[in-house]
Amino acid sequence: MATAGGGSVADPGSRSLLRLLSFCFLLAGLCEGNSVERKIYIPLNKTAPCVRLLNATHQIGCQSSISGDTGVIHVVEKKEDLQWVLADGPNPPYVVLLEGTLFTRDVMEKLKGRSGRIAGLAVSLAKPSPASGFSPSVQCPNDGFGIYSDSYGSQFAHCKAFQWNKVGDGLAYEDFSFPIFLLEDENETNVIKQCYRDHNLSPNGSAPAFPLCAMQLFSHMHAVVSTVTCMRRNLIQSSFTISPEVVCDPLSDFNVWSMLKPINTSRTLEPDDRVVVAATRLDSRSFFWNVAPGAESAVASFVTQLAAAEALQKAPDVATLPRNVMFVFFQGETFDYIGSSRMVYDMEKGSFPVQLENIDSFVELGQVALRNSLELWMHTDPMSQKNETVLNQVEALLSTLEQSGAAVPTVVLRRLNQSQPLPPSSLQRFLRARNISGVVLADHSDSFHNLYYQSIYDTAESINVTYPAGQSPEEDLNFVTDTAKVTRLLYGFLVRANNSWFQSILRPDLRSYLGDGPLQHYIAVSSPTNATYVVQYALANLTGKVLDLTREQCQNPSQVPTENKDLYEYTWVQGPLNANETDRLPRCVRSTVRLARALSPAFELEQWGSTEYSTWTESRWKDIRARIFLIASKELEFITLIVGFGILVFSLIVTYCINAKADVLFITPREPGSVSY
């Protein structure tokens, strides 16, 4: 527009155009930035981190700094290669790519001692598994939370008799100040090694030239010190903040249980009702988060119990048995008996249908992979047998088991010296509360036969579950292995969860829980876990009955006069494929299978420093990822920074000048015929 004095000013539309162009350039820069990032970084998509866990007194595990830790990659394939990262290498800090066979306590202590030169660790899987064994667990699992203590059975406390897990080095119970990741994909491991060979490997031990191949690891943990500290912070946050930032969560899930003959779950059993408890554990762990194959630690035993439950349910004279049988699959036993201690607690409080006084006897399946022989050893508790009544009951229980075992000539049941203590087992938590007759069946007479207890190598191969090459997944599913006849269960839990049988027994909304690999058996903090759901529905399928009900009736059985929700659970499952294999035939399954909370009583009672109950928690985090890229020398980075800063200053000056002279640079054209005087 023209002014009275004849001067001109920039049109507001011109200024808006300038701002719009600036915004477009910014937006384009951001989009280009993402594209540049993809070109610079190679993400590692198949990794598993070591995370932080806490109990009443300690923190264990690993973490990175809040912005991630970056280091030059150095491949360590033999112990001599450590010298470069510990002392000789000129470009610290380093991220060590460690061969799986070297992931030992000895090597880790050396790296931990030079944490200033170590930015992180990436561990590749050893193939084949280490022949001498590998167990990052402790030699005396769940020490202090079983029946033996300094005041009761002190001669057995702290595994004084012998160490159950002799190969355990306790690595998973150490605290590391740098991130540690497992490389699960061999192709990604080869990409990293190739990057190392191309950029970091120099002849004759000389310093390599820049740019160098580096790795960045993100795994910053929010919780610190102990469960007491993190739960107190959670409480403070929830008390004073509308949107509290939780820093840790209790390890928790659900126990799976069922009755051979249905009971009314709306009330407790009468005192004279007698129940035999058949128990096993569902969970395992390893050094890395949610990598817990647990083939011998857990799967072999709970698969055996699933098969036993099916066989007993289908026995013709089951209704005439003098005692009922309760099948229990305890969750969280790896972490100081979370599941069993919670069930005992609920029984004592009268909030579980079966009471402690109803338990006639307790039979538990420990590790029963039977790799070395076909002998099962019957472990009993010497302390409770000092009571003559219990002694006689245990003797009767052992005799009954021996008579039953005689009908299965392929497995031989053996007795042990009566002075030998129980191995780590759920039975110990029940004996803490009440003297009952009980036995733990295991394939070891003293120390574990399992050389990979609670490790990444406790896999199908470790218990000889293998399949012929060239078969389809469906052929593998139905193939009879040398280890056991319960083929579908072993295949589903140890090899491929996403198979036709597992799909048929689950609810439609749970089908995404099945991955192409094996199920993992870490208890976690979000529940129920995938494995818990599958065990629940597998047990229902094996022991339940298919009913001719509609979906609506199945989901609301109170509409059907002949059905009783207090006696049974009703589940609408996907069902098998039809003859054309195009659609599924959904159906209603009625069973006695239910879930019971597996959360340590310590969190119900807010006794976070408890020595009676498990206090394990898992830290929260925001970002866990790993990537590799090329880094320049420090000198080049400094020069780049200075040049970039100079360009920024120059840009600001130019922008200021353009803005100051905008009335000259952006003059609005005069309209035709208009004249200024």
Side-chain angles (χ1 to χ4, degrees), residues 14 54 90 210 224 227 293 337-338 413 543 594 656 668:
S14 301
L54 310 98
F210 286 93
V224 294
T227 289
Y337 305 120
I338 293 174
L413 294 176
T543 62
R594 292 177 169 87
Y656 174 78
T668 305

Side-chain angles (χ1 to χ4, degrees), residues 14-267:
S14 301
R15 292 183 182 271
S16 299
L17 180 61
L18 180 62
R19 294 190 185 99
L20 180 60
L21 287 170
S22 300
F23 175 75
C24 289
F25 280 124
L26 260 177
L27 191 60
L30 287 174
C31 296
E32 182 64 23
N34 290 335
S35 176
V36 169
E37 180 179 355
R38 288 195 296 268
K39 292 177 181 177
I40 293 175
Y41 298 102
I42 298 177
L44 304 175
N45 299 316
K46 295 184 179 180
T47 62
C50 161
V51 303
R52 175 168 290 164
L53 301 176
L54 310 98
N55 64 11
T57 56
H58 293 82
Q59 65 179 32
I60 63 173
C62 324
Q63 78 155 353
S64 73
S65 62
I66 194 168
S67 57
D69 291 330
T70 303
V72 175
I73 296 172
H74 189 74
V75 176
V76 174
E77 297 177 327
K78 53 186 183 298
K79 286 189 176 181
E80 291 75 17
D81 296 336
L82 288 171
Q83 183 63 23
W84 183 265
V85 296
L86 296 177
D88 297 345
N91 302 302
Y94 289 94
V95 170
V96 178
L97 199 167
L98 191 68
E99 289 296 315
T101 52
L102 295 178
F103 187 51
T104 62
R105 188 178 186 89
D106 176 53
V107 170
M108 292 304 296
E109 284 181 346
K110 291 179 180 178
L111 296 174
K112 192 175 181 180
R114 299 301 303 273
S115 57
R117 291 181 60 88
I118 305 299
L121 194 67
V123 181
S124 63
L125 283 167
K127 293 186 178 181
S129 302
S132 58
F134 172 72
S135 173
S137 184
V138 292
Q139 293 187 342
C140 189
N142 292 0
D143 185 23
F145 289 86
I147 188 175
Y148 307 118
S149 65
D150 294 333
S151 59
Y152 184 85
S154 58
Q155 66 272 36
F156 307 126
H158 316 301
C159 297
K160 290 178 183 175
F162 44 81
Q163 302 295 328
W164 291 104
N165 183 30
K166 280 187 176 180
V167 297
D169 60 13
L171 199 59
Y173 291 84
E174 292 290 324
D175 185 44
F176 295 91
S177 59
F178 49 80
I180 304 176
F181 279 60
L182 174 68
L183 302 174
E184 298 183 278
D185 184 72
E186 191 172 356
N187 291 329
E188 288 189 344
T189 302
N190 291 333
V191 168
I192 300 170
K193 289 184 176 181
Q194 188 60 50
C195 185
Y196 165 78
R197 286 190 291 265
D198 291 343
H199 298 279
N200 299 6
L201 196 59
S202 57
N204 305 321
S206 59
F210 286 93
L212 299 176
C213 190
M215 185 182 296
Q216 191 172 28
L217 303 173
F218 297 85
S219 63
H220 181 68
M221 300 288 125
H222 294 177
V224 294
V225 182
S226 67
T227 289
V228 175
T229 300
C230 77
M231 291 300 292
R232 188 188 302 125
R233 290 180 179 176
N234 287 352
L235 182 62
I236 294 172
Q237 286 271 350
S238 60
S239 300
F240 297 100
T241 309
I242 297 176
S243 301
E245 184 176 345
V246 177
V247 296
C248 69
D249 300 282
L251 295 181
S252 66
D253 195 26
F254 288 87
N255 299 323
V256 180
W257 68 282
S258 72
M259 301 299 297
L260 182 63
K261 294 182 282 188
I263 62 172
N264 191 326
T265 57
S266 64
R267 59 175 182 263

Side-chain angles (χ1 to χ4, degrees), residues 631-657:
I631 59 170
S633 66
K634 298 295 182 183
E635 293 79 6
L636 182 57
E637 288 179 347
F638 180 74
I639 293 172
T640 304
L641 175 64
I642 295 301
V643 171
F645 183 74
I647 293 173
L648 173 63
V649 172
F650 177 75
S651 302
L652 291 174
I653 293 172
V654 171
T655 303
Y656 174 78
C657 293

